[in-house]
C-alpha cells in the first residue's frame, strides 16, 4: 500500500500535524487566512485526502477539480460547508469531529449569557472611556441570571451541557428540539415546549440547533417580536440561524434587551455592520470552542478520522457511511 498524500487547509494545534506526518505525505496551507476556492482546488488536486475547516467550501467544483480525493475530514461538529450529496455521488467519504467541544462551547455560551445579562462588556467600555465618575444606584443595571428562565433551542450535546450549567444557577429551563429528551428533562428539570412557547417564556434564549434549510433564519422579525422586551439572545450555533438585519432593528428599537453572538452571517462580520454600532450587543470571533485542550482534541480527531479512512476503515463519525462499500473499493484501488 503506497503512502497517501493529504492536504491540510491550515496549521493545527496540538500534535495533530506530527501524527499526520507519521502517516502520510502532508501539504499544509501556510497562511493565516483560508485558501481561496481556487487555491483549495489546486492544492487538493492530486491528494488522496483533505482536512478542511468550516471556512472551506467543499462543493462539486472542488471535488471535480480533485478527482482523486477519497476522504474529506472536516474539523467541525457541523458540516454545512460540505456538499455531502456531491461527495457521496463521487464516492468521497466525509467525516466530522463531534463530541469533543460540547462542554467548552457550553462554558462560552454561558459566559456570553452572563456578560450580556450583567452588561460586562458595556461596563468595560464605560470605564475605558473615562465615564466612571462615582458609584450610582442606576448605573448599568442588568438582568439577574439566577432564577431566570432559560430557553434552549437545540438540545443536542452542547444544549445539554448548557442545561446542566443552568441548573446550577437555579434557572428554570424550557427547550425546543427535534426530539424530546426525557433523560435530560429528568436530570435538569427542563420542560419541552414549541419554538414559539420557548421564545415567549424565556428571559434568555440560546441557540444550539444545526443550520439546515428548515432552521435558517429561524430567529427573524416575527420570532423576535414574540420574545420578552427584557430578553437576551445568545448564538453560539451558526450565524445563519438568525436574520441579522431583523436582529439589528429589534435591538435598536428595544424589541429585545440584548444579544451576544459568537457566530455571524457572514463570517467574519464586516467592521461596518450596523450591529457593531449598538451598545447592547456583544460579538466575538467564533471562539466558543477555542480552548487549548478542546481545539487540540478536535484537530487530532480530524487527523485520526483522515488516517483511518485512508486505511479503508469507516470512522465512527463518518457523515455518509451509506457509501462505504463502493468507497472502500475506491480506496483499495487508489492506494494499492
Amino acid at each position: 500500500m503506497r503512502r497517501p498524500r493529504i492536504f491540510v487547509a491550515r496549521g493545527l494545534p496540538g500534535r495533530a500535524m506530527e501524527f499526520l506526518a507519521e502517516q502520510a505525505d502532508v501539504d499544509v496551507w501556510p497562511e493565516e487566512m483560508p485558501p481561496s476556492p481556487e487555491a483549495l482546488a489546486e492544492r487538493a488536486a492530486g491528494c488522496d485526502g483533505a482536512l478542511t475547516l468550516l471556512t472551506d467550501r467543499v462543493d462539486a467544483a472542488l471535488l471535480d477539480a480533485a478527482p482523486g480525493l477519497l476522504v474529506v475530514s472536516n474539523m467541525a461538529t457541523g458540516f454545512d460547508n460540505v456538499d455531502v450529496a456531491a461527495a457521496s455521488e463521487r464516492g468521497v467519504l466525509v467525516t466530522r469531529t463531534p463530541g469533543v467541544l460540547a462542554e467548552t462551547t457550553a462554558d462560552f455560551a454561558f459566559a456570553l449569557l452572563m456578560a450580556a445579562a450583567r452588561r460586562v462588556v458595556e461596563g468595560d467600555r464605560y470605564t475605558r472611556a473615562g465615564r466612571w465618575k462615582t458609584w450610582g444606584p442606576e448605573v448599568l443595571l442588568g438582568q439577574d441570571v439566577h432564577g431566570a428562565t432559560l430557553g434552549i433551542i437545540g438540545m443536542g450535546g452542547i444544549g445539554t451541557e448548557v442545561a446542566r450549567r443552568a441548573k446550577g444557577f437555579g434557572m428554570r429551563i424550557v427547550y425546543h428540539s427535534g426530539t424530546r429528551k426525557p433523560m435530560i428533562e429528568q436530570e435538569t428539570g427542563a420542560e419541552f415546549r414549541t419554538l414559539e412557547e420557548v421564545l415567549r417564556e424565556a428571559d434568555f434564549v440560546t441557540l444550539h440547533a444545526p443550520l439546515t434549510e428548515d432552521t435558517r433564519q429561524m430567529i427573524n422579525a416575527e420570532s423576535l417580536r414574540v420574545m420578552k422586551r427584557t430578553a437576551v439572545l445568545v448564538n453560539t450555533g451558526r450565524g445563519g440561524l438568525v436574520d441579522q438585519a431583523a436582529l439589528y432593528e429589534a435591538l435598536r428599537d428595544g424589541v429585545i434587551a440584548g444579544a451576544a453572538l459568537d457566530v455571524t452571517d457572514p463570517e467574519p462580520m464586516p467592521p461596518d455592520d450596523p450591529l457593531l454600532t449598538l451598545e447592547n450587543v456583544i460579538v466575538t470571533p467564533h471562539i466558543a470552542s477555542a480552548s487549548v485542550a478542546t481545539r487540540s482534541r478536535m484537530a487530532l480527531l480530524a487527523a485520526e478520522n483522515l488516517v483511518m479512512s485512508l486505511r479503508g476503515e469507516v470512522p465512527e463519525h463518518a457523515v455518509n457511511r451509506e457509501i462505504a462499500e463502493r468507497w472502500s473499493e475506491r480506496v483499495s484501488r487508489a492506494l494499492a
Side-chain angles (χ1 to χ4, degrees):
M1 189 173 187
R2 70 169 173 82
R3 189 173 171 85
R5 299 180 297 269
I6 62 175
F7 174 65
V8 182
R10 217 82 58 79
L12 303 175
R15 63 176 300 270
M17 296 304 304
E18 178 185 348
F19 172 77
L20 287 172
E22 292 168 355
Q23 309 292 330
D25 295 332
V26 183
D27 177 25
V28 185
W29 184 251
E31 319 236 348
E32 177 186 2
M33 297 300 292
S36 67
E38 295 77 18
L40 182 59
E42 180 182 349
R43 300 290 277 268
C47 287
D48 303 297
L51 194 154
T52 56
L53 311 183
L54 56 84
T55 49
D56 303 310
R57 180 65 187 159
V58 180
D59 54 15
L62 170 66
L63 296 168
D64 288 341
L69 272 183
L70 302 168
V71 186
V72 171
S73 176
N74 205 44
M75 184 180 149
T77 295
F79 46 92
D80 46 277
N81 61 307
V82 180
D83 186 337
V84 177
S88 295
E89 183 181 343
R90 291 158 178 79
V92 178
L93 193 71
V94 177
T95 68
R96 63 191 185 106
T97 57
V100 296
L101 53 68
E103 293 200 57
T104 298
T105 302
D107 283 350
F108 196 80
F110 221 83
L112 287 179
L113 185 155
M114 296 189 69
R118 298 303 305 275
R119 303 174 70 178
V120 173
V121 176
E122 286 181 74
D124 179 76
R125 288 195 293 253
Y126 183 91
T127 302
R128 291 173 187 271
R131 295 169 60 195
W132 184 14
K133 304 301 183 184
T134 185
W135 182 90
E138 294 187 330
V139 173
L140 291 170
L141 296 180
Q143 307 293 325
D144 280 330
V145 173
H146 67 274
T149 297
L150 175 64
I152 299 175
I153 299 175
M155 190 66 89
I158 299 170
T160 296
E161 292 300 335
V162 172
R164 288 173 174 149
R165 284 151 180 74
K167 182 182 178 183
F169 275 77
M171 300 184 83
R172 173 177 172 252
I173 304 164
V174 294
Y175 78 99
H176 181 73
S177 199
T179 58
R180 289 192 65 161
K181 312 289 183 180
M183 294 185 66
I184 303 304
E185 292 177 15
Q186 184 176 2
E187 177 187 347
T188 65
E191 305 166 33
F192 185 79
R193 294 285 189 272
T194 66
L195 176 60
E196 182 173 337
E197 287 170 339
V198 169
L199 296 175
R200 194 177 303 280
E201 296 178 27
D203 299 300
F204 301 92
V205 174
T206 181
L207 305 181
H208 304 288
L211 180 61
T212 66
E213 288 309 307
D214 291 334
T215 62
R216 186 174 295 279
Q217 295 196 353
M218 64 191 306
I219 302 300
N220 50 43
E222 182 180 353
S223 54
L224 287 162
R225 285 193 295 271
V226 173
M227 295 170 66
K228 297 179 180 179
R229 293 183 70 85
T230 54
V232 171
L233 176 71
V234 178
N235 188 11
T236 56
R238 286 289 185 264
L241 297 172
V242 178
D243 179 342
Q244 285 181 187
L247 178 61
Y248 167 74
E249 292 179 1
L251 291 166
R252 180 196 63 193
D253 299 341
V255 174
I256 65 172
L261 312 174
D262 185 52
V263 288
T264 61
D265 186 19
E267 290 188 2
M269 175 180 275
D272 61 351
D273 192 290
L275 277 168
L276 297 177
T277 66
L278 301 176
E279 287 292 322
N280 56 342
V281 63
I282 299 169
V283 182
T284 53
H286 204 145
I287 56 172
S289 66
S291 74
V292 172
T294 291
R295 288 282 174 89
S296 296
R297 284 197 299 270
M298 285 179 70
L300 186 58
L301 178 56
E304 290 170 345
N305 285 342
L306 186 55
V307 168
M308 181 182 294
S309 299
L310 291 173
R311 291 175 182 159
E313 304 169 28
V314 180
E316 176 186 357
H317 303 305
V319 175
N320 55 343
R321 62 178 55 249
E322 69 277 3
I323 71 165
E325 186 173 343
R326 63 187 174 90
W327 165 79
S328 63
E329 292 173 1
R330 282 194 75 212
V331 175
S332 297
R333 288 195 304 270
L335 297 177

